[in-house]
Amino acid sequence: MFSKILIANRGEIAVRIIRACKEMGISTVAVFSEADRDALHVSMADESICIGPAKVQESYLNMPAILSAAVASGAQAIHPGYGLLSENARFAELCEECKISFIGPKSELISLLGDKEHARATMQKAGVPVVPGEGLVESVEAAQKAAERIGFPLLIKARSGGGGRGIRLVNSMEEIPSAFSSACAEAQSAFGDGACYMEKFLSPVKHIEMQILCDNYGNAVCLGERDCSMQRKNQKLLEESPSPAVSPKLREKMMDASLKAARAVGYNSVGTIEYLVDRDGNFYFMEMNTRLQVEHPVTEMVTDVDLVKWQIRSAAGMPLDFSQDDIQVSGHAIECRINAEDPANNFAPSCGRIQLLHIPGGPWVRFDTALYQDYLVPPYYDSLLGKLIVRAKTREEAIRKMQAALCELVVEGVFHTADLHMDLLSDEAFLDGSYTTDFMKNRGYAC
């Protein structure tokens, strides 16, 4: 097992990883930008190293600075968290070259699965159903020809990255030129790769993801699904597990497909396979995320498996000490992402000093956050303030528990989305589980 790990991230996920390391007896090294000098993860770690100015390109995406910090501190491994460098194959490769363990899959797997067009082809060969579409398209003319075969509506999607960027919905041939150009430009700006592919736009659909956990010895387990259909601009707002729309028979099929996909590529870490599910129960592979997901706590709550610890153990060469038969899903969990945004002002980002903070408590209530009273929320980074997670025996109880927890949560000093979540939880489509990815758009929110 590693004795010292550097966390190449910030915010709540850095705090989450540090806590796991402390429980495992592992020393931690935090890296931080000049804007994050007073951040919670900096004070919680055993050591901390400044790696540059506030801009992420000069700090949290600065690979030489992060690797230098790892070498200087004597860290044996780097945990990338999610976002930032977590799915950067070049960074994982540089870690390998520096004899530093990258806590995630092998660099070649990140490269393979990060190329979403290539990942589609790989899944097709493995017998996993994919959304009908077209591979890499290199020009407006090629996109128009592909559109004739696919039919409208369709999506133009970046082959790299994630987070909803580089995606354009196209409803007619006339929209192709501008949509293709803007999708490619956004992909180039966000991911340094402007290549795009095309898929049939399926609607209404559920966005269901399957959590997998693998080691270096061919062992793989699937920890069930998360329903991530509550979205705005392809960004998830709320997640729950298990999904109210997935039957036991469908769950078994999706779990089998997910394990088949993991074994087909020789996967060796924590990962998530994302699917679209239509109203007839057909499911289609979308993409595979080769990292820890923001919403991983809902799976932890219903399976009692610490995904961060097992991600570290797998990277250290330890085999899984349980099998698929040992996985038991118990109860129901819901996660609400509390973002520093103003829903009344088109979700404009908010920053400022936390004047008053009260974190909900009670059995099976968890708030993953890096906030503390008097903390100055900076304007430079992701708007996530924290993730409120609850678990109860039934979905109905979990909804009531989340409503109670949201009522108890107090965050003063910035605009945030807690009240929005109260509205979402009381909507009839959420209560009966029928909500789909177009829920927010159908409710009049700008999407």
Side-chain angles (χ1 to χ4, degrees):
M1 179 48 65
F2 308 119
S3 60
K4 183 183 288 189
I5 292 174
L6 181 141
I7 296 94
N9 216 301
R10 63 175 303 280
E12 68 87 14
I13 191 58
V15 170
R16 168 74 181 92
I17 296 164
I18 290 170
R19 285 175 175 151
C21 288
K22 285 179 179 291
E23 292 176 17
M24 298 174 75
I26 300 170
S27 297
T28 54
V29 181
V31 294
F32 63 94
S33 71
E34 292 172 1
D36 271 342
R37 192 172 295 276
D38 296 324
L40 184 60
H41 75 282
V42 177
S43 61
M44 284 183 64
D46 298 292
E47 304 171 43
S48 58
I49 299 173
C50 183
I51 52 171
K55 290 184 178 180
V56 290
Q57 292 83 0
E58 300 175 29
S59 53
Y60 297 108
L61 293 179
N62 187 335
M63 290 186 270
I66 293 171
L67 289 166
S68 296
V71 172
S73 65
Q76 300 157 307
I78 293 178
H79 198 307
Y82 55 70
L84 298 175
L85 295 172
S86 63
E87 292 182 290
N88 188 304
R90 179 56 182 157
F91 182 65
E93 186 178 1
L94 288 172
C95 289
E96 293 161 8
E97 291 176 4
C98 293
K99 308 300 182 187
I100 297 171
S101 295
F102 178 83
I103 299 178
K106 295 170 284 190
S107 59
E108 56 265 32
L109 284 176
I110 298 175
S111 181
L112 169 69
L113 296 165
D115 181 335
K116 293 178 173 56
E117 186 270 330
H118 197 173
R120 276 171 49 88
T122 301
M123 294 303 152
Q124 280 182 300
K125 290 180 182 178
V128 179
V130 302
V131 179
E134 183 74 18
L136 200 63
V137 286
E138 299 181 347
S139 66
V140 171
E141 292 74 20
Q144 290 171 329
K145 289 181 180 178
E148 291 177 356
R149 293 190 292 271
I150 298 170
F152 296 99
L154 57 81
L155 293 173
I156 298 174
K157 302 178 71 173
R159 77 171 173 187
S160 300
R165 295 184 178 181
I167 300 177
R168 295 294 183 274
L169 174 62
V170 183
N171 291 296
S172 68
M173 193 65 73
E174 291 72 28
E175 295 177 15
I176 289 281
S178 62
F180 179 78
S181 298
S182 62
C184 293
E186 185 176 47
Q188 181 64 44
S189 174
F191 314 123
D193 179 7
C196 288
Y197 65 101
M198 299 168 69
E199 284 183 346
K200 180 70 176 175
F201 177 64
L202 303 177
S203 181
V205 289
K206 280 281 194 178
H207 182 146
I208 305 294
E209 58 187 32
M210 286 285 172
Q211 177 69 62
I212 59 169
L213 172 59
C214 311
D215 62 20
N216 291 292
Y217 308 97
N219 301 308
V221 296
C222 182
L223 287 81
E225 84 278 2
R226 297 184 287 257
D227 194 323
C228 306
S229 305
M230 191 68 75
Q231 302 177 6
R232 177 182 172 272
K233 291 189 173 181
N234 300 305
Q235 298 281 338
K236 300 164 188 172
L237 301 174
L238 175 156
E239 301 92 3
E240 59 178 320
S241 181
S243 168
V246 175
S247 66
K249 185 177 180 180
L250 178 58
R251 179 174 298 113
E252 184 178 355
K253 288 182 179 179
M254 295 181 72
M255 290 176 67
D256 287 345
S258 300
L259 290 171
K260 186 187 298 182
R263 292 181 175 123
V265 297
Y267 200 71
N268 68 320
S269 185
V270 163
T272 298
I273 304 178
E274 304 200 352
Y275 299 94
L276 295 179
V277 180
D278 66 22
R279 286 181 171 172
D280 295 325
N282 301 306
F283 64 96
Y284 305 93
F285 170 84
M286 264 204 317
E287 63 183 20
M288 181 169 178
N289 293 306
T290 57
R291 55 169 167 80
L292 197 67
Q293 292 281 89
V294 177
E295 58 273 18
H296 75 273
V298 291
T299 296
E300 293 182 326
M301 292 285 255
V302 296
T303 62
D304 200 28
V305 174
D306 190 314
L307 289 168
V308 176
K309 288 182 180 178
W310 273 108
Q311 189 181 27
I312 293 170
R313 291 180 185 126
S314 294
M318 296 177 64
L320 296 181
D321 63 2
F322 55 90
S323 68
Q324 190 65 52
D325 291 340
D326 298 314
I327 303 298
Q328 298 294 327
V329 173
S330 175
H332 197 95
I334 301 173
E335 172 182 292
C336 290
R337 301 191 190 192
I338 310 300
N339 293 330
E341 298 171 347
D342 183 5
N345 188 22
N346 198 28
F347 291 85
S350 179
C351 58
R353 193 170 298 280
I354 301 300
Q355 299 166 358
L356 182 63
L357 176 67
H358 176 74
I359 294 173
W364 297 104
V365 177
R366 168 176 166 181
F367 190 52
D368 284 16
T369 187
L371 292 182
Y372 59 85
Q373 194 142 323
D374 207 38
Y375 172 66
L376 183 63
V377 178
Y380 311 105
Y381 310 114
D382 183 89
S383 64
L384 183 66
L385 295 175
K387 305 176 316 198
L388 185 58
I389 311 106
V390 303
R391 178 196 170 276
K393 287 185 178 180
T394 67
R395 185 172 187 264
E396 291 73 20
E397 289 180 88
I399 292 171
R400 290 196 297 270
K401 184 181 283 285
M402 178 60 81
Q403 290 170 329
L406 285 166
C407 287
E408 190 177 339
L409 176 67
V410 178
V411 182
E412 293 187 1
V414 295
F415 292 104
H416 58 79
T417 57
D419 287 345
L420 170 68
H421 283 289
M422 287 293 287
D423 293 339
L424 300 180
L425 290 167
S426 60
D427 191 282
E428 195 61 40
F430 178 79
L431 291 173
D432 66 19
S434 64
Y435 67 101
T436 55
T437 55
D438 56 4
F439 174 91
M440 295 294 285
K441 182 179 180 180
N442 292 340
R443 296 303 186 277
Y445 291 97
C447 292

